[in-house]
Structures are given as structure tokens and as C-alpha cells.
Amino acid sequence: MTGQVAMRQVSVQQFFDDNRDRLGLHWMGGRQGGNRMLTGESALKPTVGQVGHMNLIHPFRIQILGAAEGAYLRDLPEDELQRSINRLYTPELIAILVANGEQAPQHLLDQCNRHHVALFTSPQPSPHVVDVIRLYLARVLAESTTLHGVFLDVLEMGVLITGASAIGKSELALELISRGNGLVADDIVELFRISPDTIEGRCPAVLRDFLEVRGIGVLNIRTIFGETAVRPRKLLKLLVHLEDHSNEAFSELDRLQVNATYQDVLAVPIRKVTIPVAAGRNLAVLVEAAVRNFVLNQRGIDSTKEFIERQQKLMENDQ
């Protein structure tokens, strides 16, 4: 059910193109460094970070020089200035960004051209630049995998519906969409770990807006239901697994669901609910109820626990 975990990478040229307008980037030197690649955190040494203010002890792949760094370098004698700048050029260095509209020292420009390391400038404050780049890299370099199912925004919660082929996932998704919920992806869902405990689900570009329903064909949900019926991405919070159960099998289920179940997605535990599929069951209502119950659980309200405690109190009073 799970695809292979992929490690993504992005070139310096792509990084520049994606952030040029937002950060007002100007490519000042080291043009030949555009083909260098930024990779995910797990590919880095423990002592190397992705992006941060100039640090000669704990180097970053993208070193940021802001107002404080500029003032520090300006106060150094020329020979010490050059030595400090030279120490920036470790094998891990990918790019240098001079923020706050600071003037880049000539020696910095010369060394970037010599080492083929991209030198960017930005008028934006350096803390803002660091925040924007960190979020950008977390998104584009996240570990990723794929799952088979339908990913929906149900009551503002990211819900992935899984189950065997032809069990009715797309029909359930269509009913949920008609009730005002939103489609993110059908069939193949791309999942990215954008932080240690956060999974974001997206739709492959070729499948965007489309939902396949047996007997009808491929539907363009955006065209049929409007712009509000689709979402570009959503954080995965709940897995709903549909299972085909005979009436005999219903008696074997844990009806109270005392212990919550979880499934690991990219090493992040995601709450999982299994819903039996049988004639006459309104699955859309059940999924919405499961989401509402999950939200209550997140707030510390457990209906099952409350019910058991009430039963125990009644039993104690009878004794």
C-alpha cells in the first residue's frame, strides 16, 4: 500500500527562481554554482545545517549575512576579514545570501566566483529571509511516499480513506464532497513529512481536480462543484480504512474501540479508524462522525472512557 520513501533535492537555480520575487533576490556572483544541489536533512552531517546566520563553527549550506554580520565584518582589519570569509567555503557550502540590503564585501564576491558558490543579495531583513528559506526547504526537501486512497478535507481535517479496490472509496468521497467537504487527491496521494511530526498530503499534478467513479467515469470536481470543492494540500490527521464485513464478522469487532489504533506514515503515527462496509450503512455520516470524535479526543474528551466510567459508577452504587 505504501510507496518507496523518496529523498528529494532542489538545485540552487530552482531555489533562486522559486524565491526571487518573494525575497527580492539578486544573483550577484558565482553564477556557475547554479547546478549545485540541496538535499534533505538526513543526507547532511550532524554538524551541518541547511540555512542560518553566518556560523563558522556550525556551518550552514546557505549562509546568511545580515546587519550584525555585516557590521562585524566591516570592523575587521582587511587580512582578518579575508581569513573569516575564506573559512565560509567548506565543501558543504551551497550559497551565500547577503540580506538587509547590506553591501557584499569585494573579497566575498571574488571568492564566490572562484569557488563557484552562488552569491545572492536581498533587501529583506535577515531573520525573515531565514524563516522563508527554512519553510521553503522543509516543503521541497521533505521525505515523501505515496499511498493508495482518496485524500479529503473533511470538516477542516485531512482524512485519507483507504480500502480494497472497488469497496466504494470514490463513491464515499463523492458523497462527502456533495456535503460540502473538499477533495485533495484521488487514487494516488503524495505524502511529505514537512516537520518531525507533521505529514502533508498533496495530489500529483496529472490527477489534480479529478475523481474516478465506477459507472460514471472521471469527474472534474472543480468544474462540477466549484472552486471550494478542491484543496491543493492538507495535513494528514486521520486514516479511515474501509473493510468489507459480513454480518457474522460484526460481532467479532471491538464495538467500544477502547484502545485507539495508529498507523505509521513516514515514521509519524497517524490515528486510524476502521469502518465496516455493509448495505444500508451511511458511510459519509460515519466518516464525519469519526472526524468529530477525533477532534473531541484531541481536546481530551473521550466518549468511550466517559461511558465506561459512568457504568462503573452505577455498578459501585448498586453494591
Side-chain angles (χ1 to χ4, degrees):
M1 188 169 89
T2 307
Q4 187 175 6
V5 177
M7 178 62 69
R8 289 158 69 88
Q9 42 181 213
V10 63
S11 70
V12 171
Q13 179 69 57
Q14 187 66 49
F15 162 81
F16 174 77
D17 292 341
D18 292 344
N19 294 281
R20 174 170 45 194
D21 293 338
R22 185 169 186 184
L23 294 177
L25 295 182
H26 170 65
W27 199 325
M28 189 174 179
R31 278 279 177 181
Q32 290 176 296
N35 291 328
R36 291 182 180 236
M37 303 299 294
L38 283 153
T39 53
E41 295 281 353
S42 60
L44 298 179
K45 297 176 185 176
T47 55
V48 177
Q50 291 284 21
V51 59
H53 288 87
M54 185 179 77
N55 193 324
L56 302 177
I57 309 300
H58 188 296
F60 294 104
R61 302 208 76 198
I62 302 177
Q63 294 266 25
I64 308 293
L65 277 64
E69 293 75 21
Y72 167 76
L73 292 174
R74 279 194 299 272
D75 287 343
L76 294 177
E78 185 61 29
D79 58 340
E80 204 168 324
L81 166 69
Q82 294 188 10
R83 277 198 298 273
S84 294
I85 288 174
N86 291 345
R87 288 178 63 193
L88 289 171
Y89 295 88
T90 61
E92 292 82 17
L93 183 66
I94 289 291
I96 295 174
L97 196 157
V98 180
N100 290 78
E102 288 282 324
Q103 184 74 30
Q106 183 60 43
H107 186 68
L108 182 68
L109 175 59
D110 294 341
Q111 291 297 95
C112 281
N113 287 328
R114 181 185 165 204
H115 290 278
H116 306 312
V117 170
L119 175 61
F120 304 128
T121 59
S122 169
Q124 302 281 355
S126 60
H128 172 70
V129 169
V130 171
D131 287 344
V132 168
I133 295 175
R134 277 186 180 151
L135 287 171
Y136 168 79
L137 293 179
R139 200 174 285 278
V140 301
L141 298 179
E143 285 187 6
S144 65
T145 188
T146 57
L147 283 180
H148 178 70
V150 186
F151 191 39
L152 298 159
D153 175 358
V154 180
L155 304 174
E156 302 300 322
M157 188 75 63
V159 179
L160 178 59
I161 299 172
T162 63
S165 180
I167 201 167
K169 297 186 295 294
S170 296
E171 290 83 351
L172 170 56
L174 188 60
E175 185 170 356
L176 284 166
I177 292 165
S178 70
R179 292 168 67 93
N181 301 294
L183 173 71
V184 181
D186 176 40
D187 192 33
I188 299 296
V189 184
E190 295 179 335
L191 298 167
F192 301 84
R193 190 173 70 180
I194 60 173
S195 80
D197 58 355
T198 307
I199 303 294
E200 182 179 85
R202 308 174 202 164
C203 183
V206 70
L207 301 176
R208 202 162 292 149
D209 301 341
F210 292 118
L211 178 72
E212 182 188 0
V213 180
R214 281 180 173 81
I216 300 177
V218 177
L219 304 177
N220 188 317
I221 297 301
R222 187 187 298 271
T223 304
I224 295 173
F225 292 95
E227 294 288 333
T228 58
V230 292
R231 312 280 189 274
R233 60 178 64 88
K234 199 73 186 174
L235 299 183
L236 175 62
K237 295 295 184 182
L238 183 66
L239 286 164
V240 174
H241 184 66
L242 304 182
E243 271 195 13
D244 187 10
H245 283 282
S246 62
N247 290 333
E248 294 79 20
F250 272 109
S251 61
E252 299 173 13
L253 293 176
D254 178 8
R255 292 176 62 183
L256 290 182
Q257 289 288 311
V258 176
N259 298 314
T261 57
Y262 293 85
Q263 179 177 322
D264 279 355
V265 178
L266 292 170
V268 177
I270 303 295
R271 178 81 163 88
K272 182 177 181 180
V273 175
T274 300
I275 296 180
V277 176
R281 303 199 90 203
N282 190 327
L283 296 181
V285 170
L286 292 176
V287 170
E288 288 186 348
V291 170
R292 293 180 193 277
N293 191 53
F294 173 73
V295 172
L296 289 176
N297 290 164
Q298 296 293 98
R299 296 175 182 169
I301 302 169
D302 190 329
S303 301
T304 302
K305 185 178 176 184
E306 194 178 317
F307 174 73
I308 292 172
E309 287 174 352
R310 185 183 296 179
Q311 293 283 79
Q312 288 174 337
K313 281 182 182 177
L314 284 170
M315 291 169 65
E316 289 168 3
N317 291 337
D318 289 342
Q319 288 178 354

